């Protein structure tokens, strides 16, 4: 029997009940900035160890230090149907067909649609767009909408971030005489819907190279289609009399959609986001620039800003407002229009927060009756479908279990629309697809970490039981392996702005490429209070006299938060979290955003 790996600072059970383990090698800097026992027993610099502990092979380090598209971009032709999709799109451009881009109503859908619209515009072709209403039409292309677009003159429809499971809708489109290209990344069934081309790295018949890019968001797949389309036009001599479009200028859209869709930030995605952030800093997209201003960012956006400031505003249009606002913003060339839409999206985002809080409180009241469930399933009449995905994410964080939140509509024959979020190691999307095949769902699909569904209210209990049976073992294994994985340990005086800069240089960080976590201590709490609604703020000091600020977000009512608020009674603490820069003062200082804490004595 293998012994458990050594705990960091000897913490086997923290204030959140977790053990503290090294993610990779032991990077204990408490004794004077020396690295010991790194991967392979070698002494490495901090960035090297961060890359190695995230799965980078030693002989591939340089490519990952500065991720570029030249190093990571695959040949688009490696993807099934990519060449067919590019050929069909080129045909539409050359013959001036009416093209409609049909996008999903979330950030990935909005950025994917905007990317193709801007590409076609740069190629001299004015495409239309169609974004379904979340409440009236739901997720995915509807047959009625596709047929209507055909009757209005569209001979080619490109669906983005949807369509992989739309068998009936695409059959209706085919019968109406309109070609459909599907650009998606959601899980597929063995039988694919009828389409002129279906580009999706998660096709079950996909080749090894393309399947290795199954972590792409739809906007990443759309970018590959853009590359393939421009290449096809180049081969046909299209650019002999005109300039080629600057595809790199579209990478700000790719970065936003990728991060907001919580796609894994390794390999190609990391390169796309790293380069996209550089493009975003130039503020050449008028709508994106207005969105940055509306988010009150006084600097170039970071990866975190895409997920927590820009993305939610685009999402707010599809959740509680007008579903087309995101695409309109990201494709407009009018600064005044961009400013107006960005302001409207910010107001809708504020409205969304209020609705979300109300639904979350009602959902949490139901959790208390589900302690023995491996998958949390809550449902309520009148819950706003636009916020259920966010609430599902909150419940997942609170319980450590996959969570499904279902909004029941009394006017829709008792059906409910649900959204789910999963934990690492539990493939919720595959389970939802299987539940649909079992006849438990009217519709459903997704990917490993997120899923959507439509269910008859009379089958809610059966669905809950079925999911519990199917996923119990996976949830148990995933929960048993939960730990706080740390990259390095510091004495309090080692938490400096220079260290934060070094850590951030191995980014961008996100799903699949976790931000570095540091353990700091021992410290004593000098001051503890609650700020905002439920954030805990600490001022702590080390034995060396150094002080720094620490923040535990949304933690005031948790066991961790309560322990921190009362820790000034004398016991010393080890703290664990993400090192960040606090630039509110006269000069930048380092602070710690807490994930966990443990008593040191």
């Amino acid at each position: 029997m293998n012994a458990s790996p050594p705990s960091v600072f000897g913490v086997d059970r923290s204030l959140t009940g977790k053990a503290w383990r090294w993610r990779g090698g032991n990077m204990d800097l408490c004794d004077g900035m020396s690295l010991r026992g790194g991967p392979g027993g070698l002494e490495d610099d901090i960035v090297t160890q961060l890359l190695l502990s995230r799965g980078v092979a030693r002989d591939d380090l340089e490519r990952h230090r500065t991720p570029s598209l030249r190093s990571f971009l695959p040949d688009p032709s490696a993807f099934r149907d990519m060449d067919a999709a590019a050929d069909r799109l080129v045909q539409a451009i050359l013959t001036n067909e009416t093209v409609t881009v049909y996008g999903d109503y979330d950030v990935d859908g909005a950025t994917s649609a905007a990317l193709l619209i801007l590409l076609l515009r740069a190629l001299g072709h004015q495409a239309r767009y169609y974004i379904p209403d979340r409440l009236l039409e739901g997720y995915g292309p509807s047959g009625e909408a596709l047929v209507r677009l055909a009757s209005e003159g569209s001979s080619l429809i490109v669906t983005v971030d949807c369509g992989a499971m739309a068998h009936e809708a695409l059959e209706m489109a085919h019968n109406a005489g309109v070609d459909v290209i599907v650009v998606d990344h959601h899980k597929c069934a063995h039988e694919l819907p009828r389409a002129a081309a279906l580009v999706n790295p998660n096709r079950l018949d996909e080749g090894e190279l393309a399947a290795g890019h199954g972590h792409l968001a739809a906007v990443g797949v759309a970018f590959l289609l853009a590359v393939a389309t421009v290449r096809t036009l180049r081969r046909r001599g299209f650019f002999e009399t005109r300039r080629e479009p600057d595809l790199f200028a579209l990478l700000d859209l790719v970065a936003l959609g990728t991060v907001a869709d919580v796609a894994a930030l390794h390999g190609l995605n990391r390169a796309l986001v790293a380069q996209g952030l550089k493009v975003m800093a130039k503020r050449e997209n008028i709508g994106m620039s207005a969105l940055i201003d509306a988010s009150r960012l006084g600097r170039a956006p970071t990866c975190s800003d895409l997920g927590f400031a820009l993305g939610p505003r685009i999402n707010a249009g599809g959740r509680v407002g007008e579903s087309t606002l995101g695409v309109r913003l990201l494709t407009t060339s009018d600064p005044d229009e961009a400013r107006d839409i960005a302001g409207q999206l910010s107001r809708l985002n504020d409205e969304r927060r209020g609705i979300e809080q109300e639904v979350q409180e009602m959902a949490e009241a139901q959790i208390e009756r589900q302690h023995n469930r491996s998958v949390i399933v809550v449902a309520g009449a009148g819950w706003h479908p636009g916020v259920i995905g966010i609430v599902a994410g909150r419940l997942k964080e609170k319980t450590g279990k996959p969570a499904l939140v279902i909004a029941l509509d009394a006017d829709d024959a008792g059906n409910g629309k649900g959204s789910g979020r999963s934990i690492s190691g539990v493939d919720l999307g595959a389970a939802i697809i299987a539940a649909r095949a079992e006849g438990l769902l009217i519709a459903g699909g997704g990917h490993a970490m997120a899923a959507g569904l439509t269910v008859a209210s009379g089958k809610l209990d059966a669905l809950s039981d079925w999911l519990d049976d199917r996923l119990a073992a996976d949830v148990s294994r995933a929960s048993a392996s939960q730990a706080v994985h740390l990259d390095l340990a510091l004495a309090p005086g080692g938490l400096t702005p220079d260290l934060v800069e070094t850590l951030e240089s191995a980014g961008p960080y996100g799903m699949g490429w976790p931000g570095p976590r540091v353990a700091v201590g021992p410290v004593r709490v000098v001051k503890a209070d609650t700020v905002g609604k439920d954030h805990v703020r600490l001022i702590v000091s080390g034995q060396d006299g150094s002080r720094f600020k620490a923040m535990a977000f949304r933690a005031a009512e948790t066991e961790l938060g309560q322990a921190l608020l009362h820790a000034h009674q004398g016991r010393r603490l080890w703290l664990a979290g993400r090192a960040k820069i606090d630039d509110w003062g006269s000069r930048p200082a380092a602070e710690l955003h807490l994930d966990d804490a443990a008593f040191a004595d």
Side-chain angles (χ1 to χ4, degrees):
M1 183 174 179
N2 294 330
S4 297
S7 303
V8 181
F9 291 151
V11 177
D12 287 312
R13 185 172 177 81
S14 67
L15 290 175
T16 65
K18 298 183 178 69
W20 289 7
R21 308 291 190 204
W22 292 114
R23 190 189 309 277
N26 176 349
M27 286 208 291
D28 188 345
L29 309 188
C30 292
D31 62 348
M33 303 300 286
S34 65
L35 303 179
R36 306 192 304 273
L42 300 174
E43 292 189 356
D44 296 301
D45 65 88
I46 291 176
V47 172
T48 295
Q49 287 241 37
L50 291 175
L51 296 176
L52 291 170
S53 64
R54 280 151 183 78
V56 177
R58 187 171 287 277
D59 60 4
D60 200 21
L61 284 170
E62 292 311 309
R63 188 168 69 118
H64 288 266
R65 285 184 189 277
T66 53
S68 66
L69 288 191
R70 181 182 298 275
S71 298
F72 285 94
L73 195 70
D75 183 347
S77 295
F79 293 75
R80 288 192 181 275
D81 279 7
M82 181 67 81
D83 289 341
D87 287 342
R88 183 63 186 89
L89 199 54
V90 164
Q91 177 187 337
I93 293 168
L94 297 178
T95 59
N96 200 30
E97 295 180 53
T98 299
V99 178
T100 297
V101 181
Y102 191 118
D104 188 26
Y105 38 66
D106 69 359
V107 184
D108 194 15
T111 52
S112 300
L115 185 150
L116 291 182
I117 290 165
L118 291 176
L119 169 71
L120 291 169
R121 187 180 296 172
L123 295 171
H125 193 96
Q126 296 298 318
R128 302 175 182 179
Y129 60 82
Y130 185 91
I131 310 295
D133 184 282
R134 179 190 290 264
L135 299 183
L136 300 179
E137 298 176 82
Y139 170 76
S142 73
E144 292 78 6
L146 296 178
V147 171
R148 184 169 64 254
L149 292 172
S151 69
E152 293 171 354
S154 293
S155 55
L156 176 62
I157 299 172
V158 185
T159 71
V160 289
D161 197 28
C162 59
M165 295 288 289
H167 294 78
E168 295 179 6
L170 268 62
E171 187 67 31
M172 291 176 64
H174 173 78
N175 293 337
V178 61
D179 286 342
V180 178
I181 295 172
V182 175
V183 178
D184 204 353
H185 69 131
H186 293 98
K187 288 185 176 293
C188 296
H190 285 281
E191 182 181 350
L192 298 175
R194 180 178 291 196
L198 195 155
V199 185
N200 184 337
N202 289 304
R203 286 176 56 151
L204 297 179
D205 62 347
E206 192 54 274
E208 182 177 352
L209 175 59
H213 290 88
H215 61 296
L216 286 173
V219 70
V221 184
F223 181 77
L224 290 175
L225 176 58
V227 173
T229 300
V230 169
R231 183 174 62 182
T232 301
L233 286 168
R234 186 187 305 124
R235 288 171 177 169
R236 297 192 183 186
F238 186 76
F239 300 113
E240 291 178 359
T241 58
R242 67 174 72 205
R243 293 179 59 184
E244 288 194 17
D246 180 8
L247 295 181
F248 273 75
L250 301 173
L251 288 176
D252 54 351
L253 297 170
V254 181
L256 177 56
T258 298
V259 173
D261 211 51
V262 201
L265 292 191
H266 55 76
L268 177 57
N269 275 349
R270 185 162 167 261
L272 290 169
V273 172
Q275 300 306 317
L277 286 170
K278 296 177 183 178
V279 173
M280 196 175 293
K282 298 177 182 178
R283 298 180 63 135
E284 294 177 348
N285 182 302
I286 291 171
M288 190 77 76
S289 179
L291 185 65
I292 294 169
D293 289 340
S295 301
R296 297 184 290 277
L297 294 177
R299 48 169 171 71
T302 65
C303 197
S304 178
D305 295 326
L306 306 191
F308 295 101
L310 306 187
R313 284 172 166 79
I314 296 291
N315 259 335
R319 293 186 185 281
V320 298
E322 182 184 340
S323 61
T324 62
L325 288 174
V327 176
R328 286 173 53 198
L329 174 67
L330 297 173
T331 58
T332 186
S333 57
D334 183 339
D336 291 334
E337 181 185 27
R339 188 166 49 251
D340 290 345
I341 295 175
Q344 186 178 354
L345 286 171
S346 285
R347 291 189 293 273
L348 287 170
N349 194 45
D350 291 338
E351 180 184 338
R352 185 268 307 166
R353 288 194 184 101
I355 297 171
E356 173 195 328
Q357 181 63 35
E358 183 179 353
V359 173
Q360 183 173 338
E361 290 174 357
M362 291 186 287
E364 288 184 353
Q366 295 185 25
I367 292 179
E368 299 175 3
R369 302 191 294 272
Q370 299 193 31
H371 288 310
N372 295 325
R373 288 283 190 184
S374 296
V375 180
I376 300 297
V377 179
V378 296
W383 290 0
H384 198 298
V387 302
I388 55 177
I390 302 173
V391 174
R394 300 278 191 230
L395 298 187
K396 178 203 74 173
E397 293 173 4
K398 186 180 183 70
T399 65
K401 300 176 180 179
L404 281 171
V405 179
I406 299 170
L408 300 174
D409 187 350
D411 297 328
D412 188 20
N415 293 337
K417 291 183 173 62
S419 186
R421 298 293 183 268
S422 194
I423 60 176
S424 181
V426 180
D427 192 334
L428 184 60
I432 292 301
I433 291 173
R436 179 182 181 182
E438 290 285 330
L440 293 168
L441 299 174
I442 298 169
H447 47 77
M449 301 300 289
L453 58 88
T454 302
V455 60
S457 59
K459 291 191 175 182
L460 275 176
D461 290 341
L463 174 64
S464 297
D465 292 341
W466 188 90
L467 287 172
D468 200 55
D469 289 341
R470 178 183 174 95
L471 296 177
D474 291 343
V475 173
S476 178
R477 281 191 294 270
S479 299
S481 64
Q482 282 188 354
V484 175
H485 291 101
L486 296 163
D487 293 281
L488 69 162
L490 303 168
L495 188 66
T496 65
D498 286 344
L499 176 71
V500 177
E501 183 177 347
T502 298
L503 295 175
E504 290 302 313
S505 69
Y509 298 104
M511 177 65 66
W513 194 266
R517 263 47 181 186
V518 304
V520 186
V523 298
R524 295 188 186 277
V525 176
V526 176
K527 180 182 179 181
D529 59 0
T530 302
V531 295
K533 184 176 181 181
D534 57 356
H535 309 314
V536 176
R537 178 176 58 188
L538 306 175
I539 303 296
V540 301
S541 66
Q543 293 173 302
D544 56 4
S546 60
R547 290 192 176 195
F548 62 87
K549 182 172 76 175
M551 294 288 298
F553 295 100
R554 295 191 299 274
E557 300 302 320
T558 67
E559 184 176 342
L560 171 64
Q562 287 298 304
L564 294 173
L565 288 168
H566 295 92
H568 61 278
Q569 296 172 354
R571 297 184 68 180
R572 295 187 306 166
L573 291 167
W574 302 113
L575 302 179
R578 182 89 183 266
K580 290 286 189 178
I581 293 293
D582 176 11
D583 53 9
W584 282 98
S586 57
R587 62 178 184 174
E591 64 181 21
L592 197 64
H593 292 183
L594 295 181
D595 296 319
D596 204 356
F599 289 116
D601 50 29

